[in-house]
Amino acid sequence: MDHYKFRVVKNHLVQFLVYLALFLALVPLFSILYEVVVRGFSTISIEFFIKPTPTVGEVGGGVANAIQGTLITIGLASLIGVPIGLMSGIFLSEYGESKLSVVVRFLHDVLMGIPSIVIGVFAYALITLSIGFSVIAAAFALSVIMIPIVTRTTEEALKLVPMSIREAAIALGIPRWKATVTVVFSGAKKAIVTGLLLSIARIAGESAPVLVTMGFWRWWFAGFDRPVANLALDIFIFAMSPFKNWLTLAWGSALVLILLVLGISVAARVLTKGRY
Amino acid sequence: MAVKFDIQNLNAWFGSMHVLKNINMKIEENAVTAIIGPSGSGKTTFLRCLNRMHEITPGARVSGKVLFNGINIYDDGVDPVMIRRKIGMVFQKPNPFPMMSIYDNVAVGLKLNGIRDKKILDAAVRRSLELANLWDEVKGALNKSGASLSGGQQQRLCIARALAVEPEVLLMDEPTSALDPIAAAKIEALIRKLAKNYTVVIVTHNMQQAARVSDYTAFFYLGELIEYGPTKQIFENPKHELTKRYITGEFG
């Protein structure tokens, strides 16, 4: 009986510690959300969503150009990064344990660990130096950040699809590649979409590589060889500035950025929702 | 007898492990041939050599000939994809595609081979499900997930899926070992029905099952074909000492 009581106490103790850890992990999340929503909400108005960045000293203004610019930049980055990431993920999961795949996997892990500012400097040297501060340079830098995340999550998602499902498809006389892109992919769809969303959320919040490759831009989109405004970078620039109007815009931009990522996430979930 | 498969000097390896040793046997058309033997005797590998599924495992190798309708399926220039379309397979555990409806599970083989015509697909789905004795149970629920069915129904769905691409042969790898006796009995009845128009090769651990459903039985032991003949003869009058001991349950 004593032994039993001891076990019950131990069980409660471990349970308590688990809940405590959960609570501690949620505290920063909710305090950030609370702060951003409360401070950001007061700055939001219709003008905020339709007007571009105000000049210094100007009253009002908005972040419409930054919303446009962020969507363009992460859109272009995804256009480069998602196909490459998906394909490399398929290669790593479906085309076996060759020496090449070991090397590729290792390099992706290294790439994932490289600080984003370093990738920004790389893109600066490769693209910005020849065509100038531009959407292209920033999108390229962000796609490089994206690729290893998409690759590894795709690989893991595909590996979770049981071998028996692949074999069933192959035994039906379906060519290997077709079996992969239809049957295997549909089994891994949810996890792959989660990986894509994680990578998009990650690049939407990057400011350092954007600063190095594109810089700050107060106007609307003016071509892919020109810079464009960016929410994450705006938050940095606005928050560092001494101007009261910009400081409030920083909070508003933060809220919009969070909502934007949330919106993309919800939209992707709804669009790829399976029936089962 | 019409020969569907003529297997000559078939050897198979996993890496350096020699799992099938010099198998020679002929398999009759439109009959049920059972492969029996203890675990590790190469039954499943043998089955997977008949539709070139063995080679998709990394490190797997094959030598020898498997003549299917007189053509060696291991000849250069023979497309394994085409072979697998003619020689369907049913696996040990029911493995319907989990993200697809019952309808799509059956239609997928045709769809991915380029058939888009809804009428043809509808007809093929119905015909295959009827052939697999599943139509009456699912006809009102074709849009439900294949995973929502019971184990026995899932296995019949897998049989319907294999039949939909109109194969000539059905390879079955212990198709009832994950099922309860009633579901297994339904599959056995189905196998007898299919044998009228299809060549069936079935691997089984269950000797009563082999005796009930098959016309011919092959006994494998440690990668070798020990004895092969009409099922009645193998079970009632085995020539080989090992076969006799295995059938009477002395080892296995």
Side-chain angles (χ1 to χ4, degrees):
Chain A
M1 194 60 200
D2 273 343
H3 193 72
Y4 172 72
K5 268 185 187 156
F6 178 61
R7 264 192 354 220
V8 169
V9 170
K10 235 181 4 183
N11 186 37
H12 282 304
L13 184 69
V14 171
Q15 214 167 25
F16 171 74
L17 288 175
V18 169
Y19 279 110
L20 183 69
L22 176 72
F23 176 73
L24 290 177
L26 289 179
V27 165
L29 176 68
F30 279 106
S31 51
I32 289 171
L33 277 179
Y34 175 80
E35 199 75 11
V36 171
V37 170
V38 167
R39 297 219 192 193
F41 206 72
S42 60
T43 70
I44 285 182
S45 59
I46 293 176
E47 193 185 338
F48 183 82
F49 284 108
I50 55 173
K51 289 213 167 160
T53 315
T55 49
V56 173
E58 192 183 333
V59 181
V63 295
N65 59 330
I67 296 174
Q68 176 209 36
T70 304
L71 288 176
I72 290 173
T73 313
I74 62 180
L76 185 60
S78 305
L79 226 51
I80 308 167
V82 169
I84 296 177
L86 285 180
M87 296 283 188
S88 348
I90 292 174
F91 170 77
L92 289 180
S93 156
E94 305 299 307
Y95 292 88
E97 294 305 312
S98 59
K99 272 185 189 144
L100 180 64
S101 65
V102 174
V103 173
V104 170
R105 191 173 296 120
F106 176 72
L107 288 179
H108 272 109
D109 285 345
V110 171
L111 192 56
M112 209 168 340
I114 293 178
S116 57
I117 182 80
V118 177
I119 291 171
V121 172
F122 166 68
Y124 174 83
L126 200 70
I127 298 182
T128 308
L129 280 183
S130 51
I131 66 168
F133 289 97
S134 58
V135 181
I136 295 174
F140 172 75
L142 295 180
S143 73
V144 173
I145 295 170
M146 222 178 167
I147 288 168
I149 305 173
V150 177
T151 302
R152 291 310 304 271
T153 49
T154 303
E155 182 196 359
E156 296 306 323
L158 289 175
K159 275 187 173 165
L160 285 180
V161 177
M163 196 60 203
S164 65
I165 296 295
R166 284 184 189 79
E167 292 203 332
I170 291 168
L172 281 179
I174 299 170
R176 182 86 198 239
W177 68 269
K178 242 186 199 174
T180 303
V181 298
T182 54
V183 176
V184 180
F185 239 79
S186 80
K189 200 168 64 183
K190 271 189 190 153
I192 291 174
V193 169
T194 304
L196 293 181
L197 291 175
L198 271 178
S199 70
I200 288 173
R202 164 84 195 275
I203 63 166
E206 283 290 347
S207 54
V210 175
L211 178 66
V212 180
T213 51
M214 188 159 74
F216 179 61
W217 184 256
R218 285 200 291 115
W219 299 273
W220 293 95
F221 172 74
F224 286 105
D225 56 342
R226 309 284 298 279
V228 76
N230 181 283
L231 280 168
L233 183 58
D234 276 6
I235 295 171
F236 173 72
I237 301 287
F238 291 162
M240 291 295 117
S241 78
F243 316 113
K244 197 155 182 278
N245 190 21
W246 277 19
L247 285 174
T248 54
L249 279 179
W251 287 107
S253 305
L255 182 59
V256 168
L257 184 57
I258 290 175
L259 292 177
L260 191 71
V261 170
L262 196 69
I264 292 173
S265 176
V266 170
R269 290 257 179 252
V270 170
L271 288 176
T272 59
K273 197 167 163 253
R275 283 180 300 159
Y276 311 115
Chain B
M1 79 183 211
V3 175
K4 198 67 177 172
F5 285 104
D6 185 355
I7 295 126
Q8 299 172 0
N9 301 320
L10 182 70
N11 285 274
W13 292 264
F14 284 113
S16 59
M17 214 163 64
H18 196 175
V19 287
L20 274 186
K21 295 163 189 163
N22 226 30
I23 307 295
N24 286 284
M25 67 187 273
K26 291 181 168 72
I27 291 174
E28 199 188 321
E29 188 168 33
N30 296 352
V32 180
T33 302
I35 314 289
I36 61 169
S39 298
S41 54
K43 307 182 294 295
T44 295
T45 305
F46 173 74
L47 200 69
R48 290 167 67 94
C49 283
L50 297 183
N51 67 343
R52 297 195 57 174
M53 286 294 282
H54 177 65
E55 67 202 47
I56 69 168
T57 310
R61 251 175 343 115
V62 178
S63 81
K65 286 184 180 172
V66 174
L67 301 180
F68 169 64
N69 293 337
I71 296 161
N72 181 14
I73 64 170
Y74 286 99
D75 265 348
D76 292 342
V78 173
D79 181 1
V81 170
M82 293 313 293
I83 293 298
R84 292 176 199 134
R85 221 168 279 177
K86 291 241 170 77
I87 308 174
M89 194 163 208
V90 176
F91 297 83
Q92 188 170 357
K93 277 201 191 122
N95 55 358
F97 299 130
M99 307 299 288
M100 292 185 192
S101 65
I102 292 169
Y103 182 97
D104 283 338
N105 258 286
V106 182
V108 66
L110 295 171
K111 276 189 182 169
L112 292 181
N113 285 323
I115 293 170
R116 294 266 175 277
D117 189 335
K118 183 93 170 69
K119 269 188 199 151
I120 297 178
L121 289 175
D122 284 351
V125 167
R126 174 160 190 171
R127 182 186 57 83
S128 310
L129 285 170
E130 277 174 348
L131 213 47
N133 295 344
L134 189 60
W135 175 254
D136 290 334
E137 289 158 62
V138 300
K139 62 185 170 193
L142 292 177
N143 284 320
K144 275 197 180 166
S145 163
S148 68
L149 298 173
S150 74
Q153 289 174 324
Q154 286 188 19
Q155 193 62 301
R156 279 179 280 146
L157 178 61
C158 292
I159 293 172
R161 176 177 68 188
L163 292 172
V165 293
E166 304 199 13
E168 297 170 24
V169 178
L170 214 49
L171 306 176
M172 305 180 121
D173 187 5
E174 295 186 47
T176 65
S177 67
L179 304 180
D180 67 75
I182 294 169
K186 285 185 184 166
I187 303 263
E188 284 181 17
L190 174 57
I191 291 170
R192 285 312 317 170
K193 179 175 109 178
L194 292 175
K196 286 176 197 135
N197 298 305
Y198 297 87
T199 305
V200 179
V201 185
I202 175 172
V203 165
T204 178
H205 264 294
N206 179 334
M207 276 176 284
Q208 286 80 24
Q209 181 171 69
R212 279 194 299 266
V213 302
S214 70
D215 304 298
Y216 299 89
T217 297
F219 173 57
F220 278 60
Y221 184 62
L222 297 177
E224 289 179 66
L225 175 61
I226 305 295
E227 191 167 349
Y228 178 42
T231 298
K232 204 167 154 56
Q233 180 242 307
I234 296 282
F235 279 91
E236 287 173 8
N237 190 17
K239 295 207 172 64
H240 204 286
E241 184 59 28
L242 270 172
T243 318
K244 192 188 285 173
R245 283 176 54 206
Y246 181 70
I247 284 168
T248 53
E250 270 186 56
F251 74 103

